Amino acid sequence: MIIGVGLVIVLVCVFGTFMLAGGKMDIIITALPMEFAIIGGASLGSFIIANQMRTVKAAGAGLKRAFKGPRWTGEQYQQLLALLFVLLDTFKKKGATGIEPHLDAPGESPLFQLYPAVLADHHLTDFICDYLRMMTVSFDDPHQLAEAMEADIERHHAEEHGPQHALQVMADGLPAIGIVAAVLGVIKTMASIDQPTEVLGAMIGGALVGTFLGVLLSYCVVGPLAAKLHQVIADDAQPYVVVKTAVVAYAQNQPVQVAVELARRLTPSVFAPSFQQFETRLNEVKNELAALPA
């Protein structure tokens, strides 16, 4: 929604000011379809040439993701913290045999089912299960565990940022592709040099629409969308840091509630529950656990 508002502001300010200054839209409207076809087609073709097909598909999904915004909100973070408390508490009280059934089939686990927002993110669910499962086989050295989790997070981030980087490269190239369209328009104009001045003026104006369109799409559309996607990816990566903090703290023999409290403090401040709010949520969690079949 907010992206749509921004695009409307851009178009109104650019074209509205142009018309208020006495500019005529006739030339732009006439030239726009052909110039857009040249620039859009060349950009899309170059994008396909420069990237693997999985990156091309992921870029399309990334644009949708930029419009939707971050997946994680305050309630989802509270569910994540509550799930971490439940899992670590189960690990502490019941050991490997008590927690392994939940890690082997999280979709069927009554513990995971209490927190559908986390379960819906299968990448994060796998991340949680994989490292807790590793701890059940005595891989519990805090330093090695932290390094392994950090490397995994970095790999995931690199894969997530691939489509965003491709979109940014496309944005950087759009002004040059606009020049290509403009040069073609100039070539067309030079072939009609015997025409009256007003005709040549309209043709040169139409050619310059290509340069204008390339710059506009680069700096006001594709570039900002790539920047927004970068922000969304960064926001959606924070849950992995929260999980890492809790699991590593538990591996350092911190009490479960302390480990989860340390993770709470790594939650983005705009979404982080207060200490009192989280205490209330943990009391609710304990009641939920008590209601589950033994």
Side-chain angles (χ1 to χ4, degrees), residues 23-212:
K24 298 180 180 180
M25 289 294 294
D26 296 350
I27 295 176
I28 294 178
I29 293 173
T30 301
L32 196 60
M34 295 302 296
E35 299 295 327
F36 188 81
I38 294 171
I39 295 171
S43 300
L44 180 60
S46 300
F47 189 77
I48 293 172
I49 292 170
N51 297 284
Q52 296 178 327
M53 187 51 62
R54 65 172 179 268
T55 303
V56 174
K57 293 179 180 178
L63 289 175
K64 295 180 182 178
R65 190 172 171 184
F67 276 91
K68 289 181 179 179
R71 293 191 293 261
W72 287 80
T73 63
E75 170 58 26
Q76 289 170 311
Y77 274 108
Q78 289 203 38
Q79 288 194 30
L80 176 60
L81 293 169
L83 175 62
L84 290 171
F85 176 84
V86 168
L87 292 174
L88 294 177
D89 188 62
T90 302
F91 200 168
K92 184 176 182 64
K93 292 178 178 177
K94 299 183 180 180
T97 56
I99 197 172
E100 280 180 346
H102 302 288
L103 304 180
D104 292 338
E108 301 172 7
S109 165
L111 300 184
F112 278 91
Q113 288 175 357
L114 289 173
Y115 309 105
V118 182
L119 196 57
D121 190 330
H122 67 276
H123 289 298
L124 184 64
T125 300
D126 290 343
F127 183 75
I128 295 170
C129 293
D130 287 347
Y131 282 98
L132 288 180
R133 190 180 292 110
M134 290 169 68
M135 292 178 67
T136 66
V137 293
S138 301
F139 183 72
D140 54 3
D141 180 272
H143 299 293
Q144 289 185 345
L145 188 64
E147 289 178 1
M149 296 183 83
E150 186 63 32
D152 208 351
I153 291 172
E154 289 180 1
R155 175 191 58 79
H156 180 71
H157 287 184
E159 292 175 353
E160 289 272 278
H161 278 286
Q164 183 273 332
H165 177 69
L167 287 171
Q168 185 59 58
V169 171
M170 180 180 181
D172 294 341
L174 274 167
I177 296 176
I179 293 174
V180 171
V183 170
L184 289 175
V186 172
I187 292 172
K188 177 185 174 184
T189 302
M190 296 303 293
S192 304
I193 198 68
D194 59 339
Q195 296 296 314
T197 304
E198 59 272 17
V199 174
L200 291 175
M203 294 179 72
I204 292 174
L208 292 175
V209 170
T211 302
F212 158 75

Side-chain angles (χ1 to χ4, degrees), residues 223-277:
L225 283 174
K228 178 63 178 293
L229 180 57
H230 178 83
Q231 295 173 15
V232 170
I233 291 171
D235 288 344
D236 285 342
Q238 194 60 28
Y240 291 86
V241 178
V242 171
V243 171
K244 173 195 164 188
T245 302
V247 172
V248 172
Y250 178 78
Q252 293 172 332
N253 296 318
Q254 296 287 349
V256 172
Q257 194 155 344
V258 172
V260 178
E261 170 60 20
L262 291 173
R264 181 190 72 83
R265 300 183 68 82
L266 266 293
T267 303
S269 57
V270 69
F271 296 129
S274 67
F275 183 86
Q276 292 76 14
Q277 288 174 328

